[in-house]
Amino acid sequence: MSTKNKIGIVIGAALILVWCLLPVAWIISLSFKSQEAITNGSPGFFPSEGGGAGWQNYRDVLADDQFLRSILNSIGISLIATFLSVVIATLAAYAIARLEFTGKKLVLTLALVIAMFPVVSLVGPLFDMWRTLGIYDTWPGLIIPYMSFTLPLAIWTLSAFFREIPWEMEQAAQVDGATSWQAFRKVIVPLAAPGVFTAAILTFFFAWNDFVFGISLTSTEQARPIPAALSFFVGSDPFNRPASLLAAGAVVSTIPIIVIVLLFQRKIVAGLTSGAVKG
Amino acid sequence: MTHTTVAPDDKRDVRRANKVAASDRSKAENRLGMRLVAPAIFLMLLVTAFPMLRALYLSVFNYSLTAPDDREFVGLSNYWTALTDSLFWETTLNTVFIMVVTVAVELVIGFAFAMVMHRVIFARGIIRTSILIPYGIITVVSGFAWQFAFSNNNGFVNEWLPFVEDGFNWFGQYGSAMAAIMVSEIWKTTPFMSLLLLAGLAQVSEDMLEAAKVDGATWWQRLWKVILPNMRSAIMVAVLFRALDAYRIFDNIYVMTAGAQGTESISFLTYRQVIEQFQLGIGSALSVLLFLSVLLIAFLIVKIFRVDLAAARQEG
């Protein structure tokens, strides 16, 4: 590689880092500014002299019951939706990768069509149905609709993973004297576990990110997840929001995502691309 | 004699027995397979197909939740109302505009990122981790970050951009408000695009590139004649996914402008009809139209890329 190319790549890599991290750095910086400094109009990236608020915004946000409640809702709802999706998708993906049966294509096609579904078009009927059934503004009232985007994603990611598992190893183990349950548990489960885990992470991202269902199918803090809660943090005037508090709330709600990304970067990349490209 | 007559029978029996066993096994496999996918199919139908059919049903009624007892069958008049309303076409045009611009920009930037990530040898982990951050961040949060960045009293955009006067209100008119919305959308989803393209790049054979180089092809020729044609399926998947995703745009607009200055998208219009105004009849008609347009877009993209594929084959 020529020196010119090398320099180009270094610059390119630096640009990627700036692109990805600049808005994050900006919102962190904003979260340490005082509201007075912001409303008086002190543009600029870093908190100005005397305009810093220290940890005060974070203390305020974490003292807010509604905010804490919505974080709890988000964690609970996303985890349950992820768990259910991944369990059901694992069964389906195992069948798709391993067995011959009628309707195999149908499942994958159905999942693909649903993955393209405009979520908003489900909101009307669900709003109406959930009110009749009495699960409007409850955890199940969000967990069930979340399946509409988490299941297809999990099925595609998992079936791409499972297709790569050498299933003959299971038979080999059986020939060596293992029972089929032992063969499955000792050979297949360890091979499948990373794929299942990856699918779970991606599914969790999707659920954590949901906004449309979050604002449409909740009316109180009882079930409102964090993205919806952030958007309701102040009244309806979108031009006068308490920027510094919101920024602190945004940072807090992003921490789980950052932690997951830092820990499982490799797996997430593999999962994203295997589901989409190899699928 | 007996030996020769009996033996084929025996063999036939064995074969028949095998066949019966095999078909029994395949039947059992079939049953097991169906049983394993049943919960997934059931749930997917329950959470999408059923509500969608319900939307189809509600869309032929004049039905408002503020007066649920006045529900009245009106045939296709909701569709007629929607399709003859200028607001419907304005929001659709907005949505198509956002989709086309963001996907085009993301394709170019995403490809550049993918090229860098493909060649980079140092700090791979750091770059890959950072690129997942915009992907993982809540869209609402990125909407806020960019709204504040473009804000005229606390943002850095006005300060940093030399050709924008200080105090310029980005959200004050249509053009600049749309630009701000698109920036936040592009920022958030380019990483996804570049990861898909990176996977596509990895499938382009190095030997072919090397051969083209030996034959004296310039970098530009190699890009257009070797790399891009070999990545067609990856590009198609990326464009398809992103286009459909962009067509549903809602979160950014809700947070950044709440539809002010005519920046409403078709999803936003549907949401407002149903959730804010309780007009389930017309809202359902909009839902159905939204769904149909997504199908149309998917169909068009697949079609366009297929035509390309055939043309490429003829060339080769």
Side-chain angles (χ1 to χ4, degrees), chain B residues 124-141:
Chain B
R124 277 193 160 198
I126 295 176
I127 293 174
R128 286 200 172 195
T129 306
S130 330
I131 211 149
L132 286 173
I133 288 175
Y135 173 79
I137 273 187
I138 305 174
T139 316
V140 169
V141 168

Side-chain angles (χ1 to χ4, degrees), chain A residues 1 6 8-10 12-13 15-17 19-24 26-27 30 33 37-45 88-89 91-96 98-103 106-107 110-129 131 144-145 147-148 151-152 155 202 205-206 208-212 215-216 226-228 230-232 238-243 246-247 250-251 253-254 257-258 261-262 264-266 268-269 272-273 276-278, chain B residues 26 29-34 36-37 39-41 43-52 54-55 58 63 65 71 109 112-117 119-122 124-141 144-149 152-156 159-160 171 186-188 190-192 195-196 198-200 203 234 237 240-241 244 248 250-251 254-258 260-261 266-268 270-271 274-275 278 280 284 287-288 290-291 294-295 298:
Chain A
M1 213 187 286
K6 262 186 206 153
I9 282 171
V10 171
L15 278 177
I16 295 180
L17 290 182
W19 172 281
C20 295
L21 301 177
L22 179 79
V24 180
W26 158 244
I27 203 125
L30 206 54
K33 290 177 176 176
I38 289 173
T39 29
N40 291 342
S42 68
F45 205 85
I88 293 166
L91 298 179
Y94 172 81
I96 289 166
R98 182 68 207 286
L99 306 171
E100 275 312 318
F101 64 96
T102 25
L106 179 82
V107 190
L110 191 67
L112 193 64
V113 172
I114 291 175
M116 295 172 178
F117 222 82
V119 180
V120 169
S121 52
L122 300 178
V123 154
L126 285 176
F127 181 70
D128 196 30
M129 284 157 59
R131 284 158 51 103
I144 298 168
M147 298 280 169
S148 73
L151 252 183
I155 290 178
L202 292 178
F205 272 18
F206 263 63
W208 188 261
N209 195 4
D210 160 74
F211 182 60
V212 176
I215 54 166
S216 310
I226 187 74
L230 282 175
S231 82
F232 284 118
F239 299 104
N240 262 319
R241 291 185 161 121
L246 263 174
V251 172
S253 64
T254 305
I257 296 298
I258 305 270
V261 165
L262 288 178
F264 309 114
Q265 169 259 123
R266 245 169 238 277
I268 301 170
V269 172
L272 272 178
T273 49
V277 177
K278 286 181 212 148
Chain B
S26 80
E29 194 173 303
N30 202 13
R31 251 200 317 272
L32 178 64
M34 288 208 229
L36 288 176
V37 294
I41 292 203
L43 258 165
M44 287 197 286
L45 293 178
L46 178 79
V47 292
T48 49
F50 182 61
M52 207 58 225
R54 177 119 178 112
L58 290 177
Y63 180 28
L65 279 183
R71 192 159 101 171
I109 302 180
F113 281 9
M115 292 284 268
V116 171
M117 284 196 286
R119 293 277 168 229
V120 85
I121 17 186
F122 54 91
R124 277 193 160 198
I126 295 176
I127 293 174
R128 286 200 172 195
T129 306
S130 330
I131 211 149
L132 286 173
I133 288 175
Y135 173 79
I137 273 187
I138 305 174
T139 316
V140 169
V141 168
F144 276 127
W146 286 105
Q147 193 208 359
F148 295 141
N152 56 355
N153 76 12
N154 58 48
F156 65 85
E159 206 182 50
W160 284 8
F171 301 103
I186 291 169
W187 175 74
K188 161 123 176 93
T190 298
F192 176 70
L195 284 172
L196 290 191
L198 179 64
Q203 290 169 346
V237 169
L240 184 68
F241 277 31
L244 295 177
R248 303 182 272 215
F250 178 80
D251 310 18
Y254 186 98
V255 167
M256 294 176 79
T257 64
Q261 318 299 347
I266 181 76
S267 282
F268 199 94
T270 311
Y271 164 83
V274 175
I275 303 299
F278 303 115
L280 266 184
S284 298
S287 299
V288 174
L290 180 60
F291 177 59
V294 163
L295 281 186

Side-chain angles (χ1 to χ4, degrees), chain A residues 51-138:
Chain A
W55 291 97
Q56 193 52 46
N57 292 322
Y58 287 91
R59 260 179 244 129
D60 291 349
V61 160
L62 292 176
D64 186 303
D65 283 340
Q66 289 193 17
F67 181 82
L68 288 180
R69 175 73 213 194
S70 64
I71 284 265
L72 194 73
N73 287 337
S74 260
I75 293 175
I77 294 171
S78 302
L79 280 180
I80 296 173
T82 303
F83 176 76
L84 292 177
S85 275
V86 169
V87 168
I88 293 166
T90 303
L91 298 179
Y94 172 81
I96 289 166
R98 182 68 207 286
L99 306 171
E100 275 312 318
F101 64 96
T102 25
K104 196 166 165 170
K105 271 225 168 99
L106 179 82
V107 190
L108 284 173
T109 316
L110 191 67
L112 193 64
V113 172
I114 291 175
M116 295 172 178
F117 222 82
V119 180
V120 169
S121 52
L122 300 178
V123 154
L126 285 176
F127 181 70
D128 196 30
M129 284 157 59
W130 277 191
R131 284 158 51 103
T132 319
L133 295 173
I135 54 170
Y136 175 75
D137 200 26
T138 63

